[in-house]
Amino acid sequence: MINYRSCYTQSGHLFRSKTRALHKALTKSLSNYDIHLSYPTGPIRLDPADIPGYTLQSCNESAEEPEPAFGWWRRKDLPHPSNSEETEIIYTGLQDGLARIAQVIREEGPFDGVIGFSQGACAAGIVASLLEEGRREVFLTSTPPDGKNSEPFPQSFQDLQPPLKFAIIYSGFPAPGARHNAFYDPPLKTPTAHFLGTLDGVVEEGRSRALVERCVRARVVVHPGGHFLPSQRPWLDAAVGFVRECMEKKGDGGGGKGERKEEGVEDMEVPF
């Protein structure tokens, strides 16, 4: 069973339509598995002002009724309490977003893996972290370096399900700031595949690689595109091959225990 995480402003229904090629490739390649795909929608209904690039003029010029927009949380930039030249990033509604994900896991799981794009990819990394053994104890003992309160461990994730077998991260990034350290310290042990677009103008490569550095069993695949899920054959094969390896436990899906691995798609074992 695989759980998909939509990006900021997208619903699960819209994300399903945009990942149809990946869905088809997974179903075809993993036909010996009973595959169930879940596409939950974030619980936070976004206002027009929350949507990047929104202007009243662009709304008036559009002849179509805009699609309802949803997110897993809202980002809020606040003045840093101890440094006037910096800002502190808060994810408002994060606990609500995680509670919604936990509800889906309880009702439809357990899940073998998670796939996420953009904000959904950040959420996928967080979910993989929260399901790992010992992560709750990390939250209970974690104190950010600046002395501020850390994000609490969501009680909805306590004893929820075993650790995931894999996570696929498209245009992902870590939750920023010291308050989120417990998600990533110690680093994630779940095998992860990170797809980065060289022309991604929304999530720059440095942000995505910051998440890679927080995953000890990470594989990196670079595609020559922008902020989207690549649907061409080589990158579909790369994703499907990674899932197959993790499900069949060929190695660990990454570059070995405690090792990160970067590959071109021509180097990867593909299923077709």
Side-chain angles (χ1 to χ4, degrees), residues 80-82 88 142-150 178-179 181:
H80 197 281
S82 58
E88 182 181 21
S142 175
T143 302
D146 59 9
K148 295 180 69 65
N149 293 331
S150 63
R179 68 178 291 112
N181 279 353

Side-chain angles (χ1 to χ4, degrees), residues 2-7 15 40 72-73 91 94 97-98 101 105 112-132 157 163-175 183-184 188 190-194 211 215:
I2 302 173
N3 196 278
Y4 281 79
R5 297 277 171 268
S6 56
C7 77
F15 193 52
W72 298 104
W73 58 78
Y91 283 172
L94 175 58
L98 294 175
I101 293 170
I105 293 174
D112 294 305
V114 62
I115 299 174
F117 170 62
S118 196
Q119 189 192 68
C122 178
I126 290 174
V127 169
S129 168
L130 291 172
L131 292 175
E132 292 184 349
F157 270 78
L164 296 174
K165 296 177 181 178
F166 66 88
I168 299 183
I169 311 292
Y170 289 93
S171 298
F173 53 89
F183 291 125
Y184 312 108
L188 278 69
T190 304
T192 54
H194 303 254
L211 181 55
C215 302

Side-chain angles (χ1 to χ4, degrees), residues 54-159:
Y54 169 86
T55 63
L56 183 60
Q57 180 180 1
S58 66
C59 181
N60 291 336
E61 290 175 351
S62 174
E64 298 181 358
E65 185 73 18
E67 287 278 345
F70 300 89
W72 298 104
W73 58 78
R74 285 186 176 93
R75 168 175 167 155
K76 182 176 293 186
D77 292 35
L78 302 175
H80 197 281
S82 58
N83 188 337
S84 60
E85 297 182 357
E86 296 183 3
T87 58
E88 182 181 21
I89 298 173
I90 303 294
Y91 283 172
T92 62
L94 175 58
Q95 293 292 322
D96 293 335
L98 294 175
R100 167 63 179 143
I101 293 170
Q103 178 186 2
V104 173
I105 293 174
R106 280 194 304 271
E107 294 176 353
E108 302 182 31
F111 289 91
D112 294 305
V114 62
I115 299 174
F117 170 62
S118 196
Q119 189 192 68
C122 178
I126 290 174
V127 169
S129 168
L130 291 172
L131 292 175
E132 292 184 349
E133 294 181 1
R135 189 62 65 174
R136 181 173 180 271
E137 288 69 29
V138 172
F139 274 80
L140 295 177
T141 59
S142 175
T143 302
D146 59 9
K148 295 180 69 65
N149 293 331
S150 63
E151 190 73 37
F153 183 88
Q155 294 305 308
S156 56
F157 270 78
Q158 186 170 351
D159 302 322

Side-chain angles (χ1 to χ4, degrees), residues 198-263:
T198 57
L199 300 180
D200 194 331
V202 177
V203 179
E204 62 182 21
E205 184 175 334
R207 290 180 69 196
S208 290
R209 290 193 179 274
L211 181 55
V212 173
E213 292 301 314
R214 289 163 170 81
C215 302
V216 298
R217 300 162 72 183
R219 173 176 291 171
V220 179
V221 181
V222 179
H223 66 87
H227 194 66
F228 57 81
L229 273 74
S231 59
Q232 293 85 358
R233 179 69 173 269
W235 292 279
L236 290 177
D237 288 355
V240 172
F242 174 76
V243 173
R244 178 183 289 279
E245 289 179 34
C246 294
M247 294 300 293
E248 297 180 352
K249 298 183 179 179
K250 294 180 181 178
D252 60 12
K257 186 176 181 180
E259 180 183 351
R260 300 178 183 90
K261 185 176 183 180
E262 184 155 353
E263 296 181 336

Side-chain angles (χ1 to χ4, degrees), residues 1-2 4 16 23 26-27 35-39 108 111:
M1 298 178 70
I2 302 173
Y4 281 79
R16 179 193 294 268
H23 180 171
L26 286 168
T27 303
I35 296 179
H36 169 74
L37 303 176
S38 177
Y39 293 82
E108 302 182 31
F111 289 91

